[in-house]
């Protein structure tokens, strides 16, 4: 079986991707793709990994986990989504690294699902907005506690992905930037489900709806209805054009108000993030989805 691990990251789609995929559950089932309810695996996998002491023991747990998720069904592909696969937000940054426990956790998951083909899907986000989101999510802790007093300019997603590839080199990794997600939502859904690029999916504009005005969405839907056969590349250009005119400013602009942060620092972090994405594109075994 092919098993997709959608590992967040935190504060990217925040459950919306799984929601859009669920709109296609019947079609996915016909194509051999299972979407087990999160209640059947999130806590169960976490607790099982805590109990496992060897790959030999892992085989004893696998049957129970699988039965709880899919019963007697035998899908070709299964999608598991959990923002906390690599760790909770409170521990996302340690020693100037993002998700330092990711490699260890993935080795455990690999042992648990030994014999299956696993792949990782994850969204990354500009540290200039990711760090403030982490801080905002932990209001009872100081910034220094949440970030382990890190140097924000030292945080690189490429370093995390290299560690993942070294820990589980048999797991291919698919990555995309959260900033691009509304434009490539349909491609992410299809790739995650292993569908043909021409497959029609429901929910392809779900994320656009959260950042575009009602008027803009109405006009966009009318435009697409008047232009059947629009290619994926053309759709992206159309989405970008409509967002340029109808985006809800409050939904796409973020307040970056952390003590000691300046606009010059944010600009430097953003430039470093762009360069980091360039590095990620060149890591063997990694696919980067772009507009």
């Amino acid at each position: 079986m092919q098993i997709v691990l959608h590992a967040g990251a935190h504060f990217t789609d925040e459950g919306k991707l799984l929601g859009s995929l669920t709109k296609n559950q019947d079609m996915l089932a016909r194509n051999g793709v299972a979407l087990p309810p999160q209640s059947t695996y999130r806590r169960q996998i976490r607790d099982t990994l805590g109990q496992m002491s060897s790959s030999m023991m892992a085989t004893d747990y696998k049957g129970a986990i699988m039965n709880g998720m899919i019963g007697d069904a035998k899908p070709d592909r299964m999608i598991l989504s959990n923002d906390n696969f690599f760790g909770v937000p409170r521990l996302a940054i340690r020693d100037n690294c993002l998700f330092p426990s990711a490699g260890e956790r993935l080795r455990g998951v690999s042992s648990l699902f030994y014999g299956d083909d696993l792949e990782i899907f994850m969204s990354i986000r500009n540290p200039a907005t990711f760090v403030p989101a982490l801080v905002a999510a932990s209001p009872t802790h100081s910034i220094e506690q949440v970030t382990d007093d890190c140097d924000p300019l030292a945080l690189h997603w490429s370093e995390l992905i290299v560690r993942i590839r070294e820990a589980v080199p048999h797991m291919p990794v698919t990555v995309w930037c959260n900033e691009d997600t509304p434009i490539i939502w349909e491609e992410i859904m299809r790739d995650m489900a292993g569908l043909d690029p021409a497959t029609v999916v429901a929910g392809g504009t779900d994320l656009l709806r959260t950042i575009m005005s009602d008027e803009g969405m109405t006009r966009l839907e009318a435009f697409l209805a008047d232009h059947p056969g629009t290619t994926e590349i053309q759709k992206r250009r159309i989405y970008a054009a409509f967002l340029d005119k109808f985006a809800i400013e409050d939904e796409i602009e973020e307040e970056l108000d952390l003590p000691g942060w300046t606009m010059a620092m944010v600009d430097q972090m953003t430039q470093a993030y762009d360069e980091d994405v360039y590095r990620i594109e060149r890591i063997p075994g990694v696919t980067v989805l772009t507009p």
Side-chain angles (χ1 to χ4, degrees):
M1 186 190 302
Q2 298 171 336
I3 299 179
V4 171
L5 305 176
H6 175 218
H10 300 293
F11 316 116
T12 53
D13 73 90
E14 297 184 285
K16 295 183 181 68
L17 183 52
L18 192 60
S20 293
L21 285 167
T22 301
K23 292 181 178 180
N24 299 273
Q25 193 148 16
D26 291 342
M27 180 271 285
L28 292 175
R30 291 194 299 272
N31 283 273
V33 182
L35 289 174
Q38 291 177 304
S39 60
T40 65
Y41 61 83
R42 280 194 164 189
R43 178 180 57 79
Q44 292 85 338
I45 290 177
R46 181 199 66 199
D47 292 348
T48 298
L49 293 180
Q51 297 168 16
M52 285 165 40
S53 61
S54 69
S55 59
M56 185 176 296
M57 288 183 63
T59 60
D60 299 332
Y61 292 108
K62 180 179 176 181
I65 291 284
M66 284 291 196
N67 186 64
M69 291 191 293
I70 57 177
D72 295 329
K74 298 187 181 301
D76 299 317
R77 190 174 180 90
M78 182 168 64
I79 300 173
L80 308 179
S81 181
N82 187 351
D83 288 355
N84 292 327
F85 264 132
F86 295 161
V88 297
R90 172 72 177 77
L91 302 175
I93 300 174
R94 287 295 177 270
D95 298 323
N96 287 330
C97 290
L98 292 161
F99 300 104
S101 300
E104 178 184 356
R105 293 194 176 207
L106 285 171
R107 280 192 291 266
V109 172
S110 179
S111 295
L112 177 61
F113 294 110
Y114 178 79
D116 295 312
D117 296 327
L118 287 88
E119 51 188 297
I120 302 159
F121 277 68
M122 66 177 294
S123 177
I124 61 176
R125 179 173 172 174
N126 186 348
T129 65
F130 183 65
V131 173
L134 288 173
V135 173
S138 300
T140 61
H141 297 89
S142 69
I143 295 174
E144 291 76 18
Q145 289 175 317
V146 174
T147 66
D148 196 35
D149 203 17
C150 75
D151 173 5
L153 288 166
L155 299 175
H156 301 298
W157 292 102
S158 58
E159 185 273 336
L160 165 64
I161 294 170
V162 166
R163 276 191 284 113
I164 289 172
R165 293 293 297 145
E166 291 175 345
V168 285
H170 57 289
M171 289 190 197
V173 180
T174 298
V175 177
W176 62 95
C177 295
N178 183 58
E179 296 79 9
D180 297 331
T181 306
I183 305 296
I184 59 174
W185 195 243
E186 289 184 52
E187 181 182 3
I188 297 168
M189 292 171 62
R190 291 191 191 96
D191 282 10
M192 189 172 288
L195 300 173
D196 183 273
T199 304
V200 176
V201 295
T205 58
D206 283 356
L207 207 59
L208 283 172
R209 291 180 183 280
T210 67
I211 60 174
M212 189 184 295
S213 68
D214 291 341
E215 178 189 1
M217 283 305 305
T218 300
R219 292 193 181 191
L220 173 60
E221 290 169 347
F223 184 91
L224 293 175
D226 290 341
H227 296 80
T230 303
T231 68
E232 193 68 30
I233 297 298
Q234 290 170 332
K235 274 187 182 180
R236 293 176 189 182
R237 292 171 181 164
I238 293 166
Y239 292 165
F242 272 78
L243 276 175
D244 187 56
K245 186 173 183 180
F246 295 105
I248 303 172
E249 294 300 324
D250 289 346
E251 295 294 337
I252 62 175
E253 293 184 354
E254 300 182 74
E255 292 292 332
L256 306 178
D257 187 21
L258 289 183
W261 283 34
T262 64
M263 283 309 302
M265 179 180 172
V266 170
D267 290 343
Q268 190 176 358
M269 291 175 68
T270 300
Q271 181 178 347
Y273 174 57
D274 292 340
E275 294 170 354
D276 201 34
V277 173
Y278 181 83
R279 285 192 292 271
I280 293 170
E281 291 175 338
R282 280 145 186 81
I283 300 174
V286 177
T287 298
V288 179
L289 304 181
T290 58

